[in-house]
Amino acid sequence: MIRIPRWLVGVLGILFASFHAGLGFSTLNEARDKDVALIALIIYLASIYATILLYRGVRLPISQAILNLAAAALVPILVNTYLEPAEMSSYSTWYVMGIASLMAATAIRQQRIIAWAGTVILFIQVIAWAGIEDGIQTGLLGALMLVFASHAISVGLARAYKETMEFNKQALEIELQQTANSVASEVRRSRLESALIGAMPMLETIRAQHGHLDEKQKFEAKLLEASLRDEIRGRALMNTQIRTAVRNARKRGVEVTVLDEGGLDDTPQLNKQAILRNVAEAIDGVAEGRVTLRAPEGESWRVTLVATRPGIATPDVWLKF
């Protein structure tokens, strides 16, 4: 996409606006009241220069737009006070295209309603002063076409700005998601490294004894295997309290399954710690059977804890946090 510098657009706008002012200055000798003619030119130039050069952003402040509307009403009155329709030349009605340029700039800077209001005021004043036939010859049709084209450009700019903001928002969301995924991966890697470091003594024992372990060692190996599985599948559910509670439950013969499906991803840290503290206390109260700890995604709750026993139809514990 070709990008046009704003300064270049401003320079072109100033040159176009100054052209109409130049036509006005060239007709000063024809004016019966040069002071009034100069005031009209100054009002026009001040309004259009401010509209083009001042203010950051695309949208023109409402205060400047209202000043432009006032200029659209005042400049024709000032010029028409010293100009007779029968005496007008090609350049003496410079203000028609001048005010049209001012309204076009106002429309482009997202004040379309005010721009059309000023254009209607200009149209009415010229027709009331010169009549329809002579009024059309002042360039009114060209003025209307200029404002209409600027209106279309304004709508296109507004749509492009909206689409650009939506694109930037999507790009930011993607970047944040990638960062979150990267952080989550780093956290999981760190947890697995810590778990593997803790598992090294048992792995060394297994290697040294060629897998011939006594019953106590076999039980410890099963606890180690289960804890490694918890670190992989449990993710945000795993903290020191949960690890301790789960290990103690398994020592009591309780079968424990831990599965994080993303339910805690958007939970504030303080709330998450409170939930996991309550979960750990609930696990400590289970003496036998099976415990399933899940963090489901897309539910109104964050974590579920279910404790069941074989042959018992209803759960001993069924908690939602």
Side-chain angles (χ1 to χ4, degrees):
M1 180 177 64
I2 300 175
R3 297 180 63 90
I4 301 176
R6 180 172 177 175
W7 66 265
L8 179 58
V9 176
V11 169
L12 294 175
I14 288 298
L15 290 176
F16 185 71
S18 299
F19 171 74
H20 301 297
L23 296 180
F25 278 109
S26 71
T27 61
L28 283 178
N29 291 331
E30 303 174 13
R32 291 195 298 268
D33 191 334
K34 293 184 179 181
D35 291 337
V36 174
L38 281 173
I39 291 173
L41 284 165
I42 291 171
I43 292 174
Y44 164 70
L45 287 174
S47 300
I48 199 161
Y49 282 6
T51 300
I52 295 174
L53 298 178
L54 301 184
Y55 314 111
R56 291 183 176 273
V58 177
R59 190 172 185 84
L60 189 69
I62 187 65
S63 57
Q64 182 62 53
I66 292 175
L67 289 175
N68 292 352
L69 182 62
L74 187 57
V75 169
I77 293 175
L78 293 175
V79 176
N80 292 344
T81 57
Y82 65 80
L83 185 65
E84 292 294 334
E87 300 174 358
M88 66 179 181
S89 64
S90 300
Y91 299 157
S92 58
T93 54
W94 63 269
Y95 69 87
V96 174
M97 289 304 296
I99 294 300
S101 300
L102 177 61
M103 294 300 99
T106 304
I108 288 176
R109 299 203 65 176
Q110 305 302 306
Q111 294 289 357
R112 294 185 288 272
I113 294 177
I114 292 180
W116 277 113
T119 304
V120 170
I121 291 173
L122 171 67
F123 191 90
I124 292 173
Q125 290 197 81
V126 173
I127 295 299
W129 169 70
I132 295 178
E133 184 177 350
D134 290 338
I136 294 299
Q137 293 179 3
T138 64
L140 277 180
L141 293 180
L144 290 174
M145 292 177 63
L146 178 61
V147 177
F148 180 80
S150 300
H151 178 103
I153 293 173
S154 174
V155 172
L157 287 174
R159 184 180 298 113
Y161 178 77
K162 181 180 179 182
E163 291 175 354
T164 299
M165 295 303 296
E166 290 177 352
F167 175 80
N168 290 339
K169 180 181 178 181
Q170 292 176 359
L172 179 60
E173 290 175 351
I174 292 173
E175 184 177 354
L176 290 175
Q177 185 61 45
Q178 290 175 342
T179 301
N181 292 339
S182 176
V183 171
S185 298
E186 182 63 24
V187 170
R188 286 195 297 271
R189 186 187 65 81
S190 177
R191 287 176 176 174
L192 285 174
E193 285 184 354
S194 298
L196 288 173
I197 291 174
M200 287 303 298
M202 176 56 69
L203 295 176
E204 288 292 337
T205 299
I206 294 173
R207 184 185 65 82
Q209 298 182 198
H210 304 288
H212 300 295
L213 306 178
D214 58 31
E215 292 302 318
K216 181 179 179 180
Q217 290 172 329
K218 288 181 180 179
F219 183 71
E220 288 294 329
K222 289 181 179 180
L223 291 178
L224 175 61
E225 185 272 335
S227 66
L228 291 174
R229 186 170 60 248
D230 292 340
E231 296 298 333
I232 296 173
R233 300 172 61 186
R235 300 195 304 147
L237 285 170
M238 303 306 298
N239 66 5
T240 302
Q241 290 176 302
I242 295 295
R243 291 187 185 94
T244 301
V246 169
R247 181 177 178 84
N248 291 337
R250 286 173 175 150
K251 286 183 178 182
R252 296 193 298 270
V254 178
E255 183 182 352
V256 182
T257 300
V258 181
L259 180 60
D260 180 9
E261 298 170 331
L264 287 172
D265 288 350
D266 299 328
T267 305
Q269 186 65 22
L270 290 177
N271 293 350
K272 182 167 68 175
Q273 293 302 324
I275 290 173
L276 295 182
R277 182 168 58 251
N278 292 332
V279 168
E281 292 174 357
I283 293 175
D284 288 336
V286 179
E288 58 179 317
R290 177 186 177 91
V291 169
T292 301
L293 174 60
R294 293 178 59 236
E297 185 178 14
E299 301 290 350
S300 58
W301 55 87
R302 302 295 185 179
V303 175
T304 60
L305 178 68
V306 180
T308 59
R309 285 180 293 164
I312 306 298
T314 58
D316 294 330
V317 178
W318 189 355
L319 301 176
K320 296 179 180 179
F321 300 93

